[in-house]
Amino acid sequence: MKTPELSKEIERLKREFPGADDNKLNAMEALIEQAAYERLYLQKLNKQAMETGLVQIHPENASLQRALPVSNAIAKHSATLTNIMDKLFKHLAVEMDDEDDGLDDYE
């Protein structure tokens, strides 16, 4: 079930690929939805990390530290989002025509 927040993020991501063919957008729908979910989830994790920190330090011995679970979750979901976005850009990004870059008058 898509929340309004998730639907809004999916539409925002689709706008990142203005020249993409509708067939490709439809074929990549699941990846776009997963990227939207990952981005929203990362925002929540980062908010949590801002409140709790990423590492717990022993109050009596600063050399004793342990990573909090949110730290590992952020790393995992960041990697997932990066991987998905890389695939989306690979398949949906439209290359610009070098001859139409507006710089012809300067050559």
Side-chain angles (χ1 to χ4, degrees), residues 27-88:
M28 304 299 277
E29 181 75 28
L31 272 181
I32 293 169
E33 186 173 328
Q34 187 63 35
Y37 170 80
E38 292 292 339
R39 187 167 185 272
L40 293 175
Y41 193 65
L42 270 170
Q43 288 174 349
K44 291 177 184 178
L45 288 173
N46 285 321
K47 182 179 177 188
Q48 179 67 35
M50 294 300 290
E51 294 174 13
T52 64
L54 297 173
V55 176
Q56 185 178 41
I57 301 171
H58 193 281
E60 296 172 13
N61 185 350
S63 66
L64 296 176
Q65 303 174 15
R66 72 177 179 105
L68 295 175
V70 71
S71 176
N72 294 332
I74 288 172
K76 176 185 170 191
H77 289 279
S78 292
T80 300
L81 179 58
T82 299
N83 186 24
I84 292 170
M85 292 304 295
D86 183 54
K87 289 177 183 176
L88 289 175

Side-chain angles (χ1 to χ4, degrees), residues 98-107:
D98 289 342
E99 293 179 17
D100 192 26
D101 59 7
L103 298 176
D104 291 339
D105 294 336
Y106 298 100
E107 292 180 6

